[in-house]
Every structure is written in C-alpha cells, then in structure tokens.
C-alpha cells in the first residue's frame, strides 16, 4: 500500500509539472545590472517546481559584459521523474542612459539535456505497471536578447526579451525518435530587485516573471511528445543577487 501511495504521489507531481509547462524549461533571460568596467554580479534563483539556477556576470572592458549560467531540476524516483540540466555562456554590451536607466544586449550559446517518465493517467499508477511516457532529449541553443532596467535607491525594475533556437541533438519517446529537430522560442520577462542602498549595498532580493512562447505561434500537435515540448509555460523565480564590487562600500 505504501508503495502504491508513493507511486500516486510522485506520478501526480510529475503530471502537474508536465500538464502545466513544457518539457523544455529555459533558463531565465539575463539582464545583468552592470554599468561600468570592473563591476560584477552573482545571482541564485529557485522556482516553485524545485528547479534552481545560478549565474555570474562581469565587465572586463568598457561596454562589454560576459556571463555564464546554469540550472538543474531533479524530481521523483528512478521510475517516475522530471529532470533537466542546462549550461550557457554569453557576451554582450551595455550602455548607461542617465537617470538610472540601463540598456543592454547579449548573444550566447547553451547546452541542455533532460528527461521525464510518468504515467498517462492516475488509473495506471500501479506498482507493477509500466510508465507509458519516457522522454529523453538533449539540445543546443543559440540565443540573442535585449534588456532595459531602471534603478532607484531601493529598487530596480526591468524587462528583457530573448529569442532562442532550440536544436535537438536527440529527442525520443520510449526509445523511438520524435520528429522534432528544432523549435524557435520567444522568452520575455520582467523582474524586480529590492534592497541595497546603505544597509547591504552588495545584496538584493529578486523576483522574475517570464514566459516561453513558440515564436511561430504553433504549439498544438497530434504527437504528444511534440506537444509536450512546445507548450508555452509561465515561470516565477525568487532569488538573491550579490554585487562583489560593492563589498567595500
């Protein structure tokens, strides 16, 4: 009985994930708040689903910023799960516009892989049954993005938009190839950072709201695997930002 209850619970959590969002869960678009050469920031974020991300950005030259980011999600047991791991790097430029405004643009390249195994419905979540869905995939992802922000004494608000082309190295359902080789995504986001000023100038809290949409506007497919990959999820993340260059302030 305990095994049956665990199967129902894990199956339900995985199904909620997969019915509420895509198999593809991108890293949140970057918007590093770097204004001059020598500045840096380190960001750590988490999602309600349990997915976590981290990134670091630095300006080695005037108007130049480089960034590296990664994220992972592990969930469930060996028999029922949803997992994804990603890494990316990017380079870009920024420009201060005065009165607290910052404008920037970046381009980069990422890698990722993931998988999910779950029952199609709860009636089949029995100890001796076999999951009907077993997705495995890996991808490469070039992307470009632009962002804008406004900083005041205690808050920073901003928005960004990323265009990505996800290129699948492999995508299978129960070991059978899925006929989806690439997809284009448009990923807008808005964010709010709080804190800093005279108390802890090197630390801010952060909230990010983002979407991942099919750039072509077509998500429906009779193939369940393609539909699960092309869904258009919304994400909310919470985290903190550390600015190492402000430690001495």
């Amino acid at each position: 009985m305990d095994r049956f209850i665990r199967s129902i619970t894990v199956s339900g959590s995985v199904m909620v994930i997969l019915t509420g969002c895509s198999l593809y869960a991108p890293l949140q678009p970057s918007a590093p708040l770097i204004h001059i050469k020598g500045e840096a920031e380190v960001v750590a974020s988490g999602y309600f689903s349990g997915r976590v991300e981290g990134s670091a950005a630095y300006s080695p030259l005037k108007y130049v910023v480089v960034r590296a980011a990664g994220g992972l999600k592990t969930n469930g047991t060996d028999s029922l799960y949803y997992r994804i791991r990603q890494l990316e790097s990017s380079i870009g430029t920024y420009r201060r516009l005065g009165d607290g405004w910052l404008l920037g643009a970046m381009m980069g390249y990422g890698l990722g892989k993931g998988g999910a195994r779950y029952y199609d419905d709860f009636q089949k979540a029995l100890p001796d049954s076999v999951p009907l869905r077993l997705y495995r995939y890996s991808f490469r992802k070039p992307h470009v993005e632009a962002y804008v922000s406004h900083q005041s004494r205690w808050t920073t608000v901003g928005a960004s938009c990323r265009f990505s082309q996800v290129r699948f190295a492999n995508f299978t359902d129960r070991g059978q190839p899925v006929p989806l080789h690439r997809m284009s995504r448009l990923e807008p986001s808005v964010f709010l950072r709080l804190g800093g000023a005279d108390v802890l100038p090197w630390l801010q809290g952060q909230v990010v709201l983002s979407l991942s949409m099919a750039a072509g506007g077509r998500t429906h497919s009779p193939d369940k695997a393609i539909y699960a990959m092309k869904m258009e999820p919304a994400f909310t993340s919470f985290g903190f930002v550390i600015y190492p260059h402000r430690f001495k302030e």
Side-chain angles (χ1 to χ4, degrees):
M1 178 60 70
D2 289 341
R3 185 180 176 188
F4 174 77
I5 293 174
R6 287 196 299 270
S7 296
I8 289 288
T9 302
V10 175
S11 178
S13 64
V14 175
M15 283 296 291
V16 167
I17 291 170
L18 294 178
T19 54
C21 67
S22 170
L23 284 174
Y24 169 68
L27 297 174
Q28 64 189 20
S30 62
L33 301 187
I34 289 177
H35 301 81
I36 60 175
K37 173 185 174 181
E39 289 189 346
E41 70 170 36
V42 178
V43 183
S45 302
Y47 296 77
F48 290 118
S49 65
R51 186 159 58 99
V52 295
E53 291 184 10
S55 68
Y58 175 68
S59 176
L61 301 169
K62 186 177 181 180
Y63 302 136
V64 175
V65 60
V66 293
R67 179 179 181 266
L72 63 87
K73 168 75 175 82
T74 59
N75 185 77
T77 65
D78 290 337
S79 59
L80 297 168
Y81 58 81
Y82 169 64
R83 301 165 183 161
I84 186 169
R85 293 175 172 84
Q86 298 179 81
L87 292 171
E88 68 178 34
S89 61
S90 53
I91 185 170
T93 186
Y94 59 88
R95 185 63 63 96
R96 299 177 69 173
L97 302 180
D99 296 324
W101 289 96
L102 177 69
L103 183 67
M106 305 194 77
M107 62 184 297
Y109 197 79
L111 303 171
K113 66 178 181 178
R117 183 172 180 171
Y118 67 97
Y119 299 98
D120 264 354
D121 53 62
F122 289 94
Q123 287 74 22
K124 295 178 182 176
L126 299 173
D128 297 326
S129 64
V130 178
L132 296 181
R133 295 293 164 185
L134 176 56
Y135 299 130
R136 291 178 179 170
Y137 56 93
S138 62
F139 58 86
R140 302 176 185 273
K141 183 181 66 175
H143 61 267
V144 295
E145 62 187 280
Y147 61 92
V148 62
S149 67
H150 182 267
Q151 184 175 2
S152 59
R153 182 173 174 81
W154 285 96
T155 63
T156 302
V157 294
S160 68
C161 190
R162 170 181 287 196
F163 176 81
S164 303
Q165 186 176 79
V166 184
R167 302 171 181 174
F168 293 100
N170 71 282
F171 182 17
T172 62
D173 179 7
R174 290 169 292 178
Q176 299 301 311
V178 176
L180 179 65
H181 304 292
R182 65 180 62 191
M183 64 179 183
S184 297
R185 309 292 289 190
L186 191 64
E187 296 162 354
S189 70
V190 294
F191 64 89
L192 170 67
R193 294 185 180 181
L194 297 169
D198 299 326
V199 181
L200 293 174
W202 49 268
L203 178 66
Q204 284 188 309
Q206 176 176 266
V207 180
V208 181
L209 306 177
S210 59
L211 297 172
S212 181
M213 304 180 294
R218 295 178 294 179
T219 60
H220 296 288
S221 172
D223 188 310
K224 287 188 176 182
I226 294 177
Y227 178 69
M229 185 64 74
K230 283 191 169 185
M231 289 177 70
E232 300 183 334
F235 303 99
T236 302
S237 69
F238 300 87
F240 61 88
V241 186
I242 295 175
Y243 304 96
H245 59 277
R246 297 181 182 176
F247 284 158
K248 296 182 180 181
E249 294 184 7

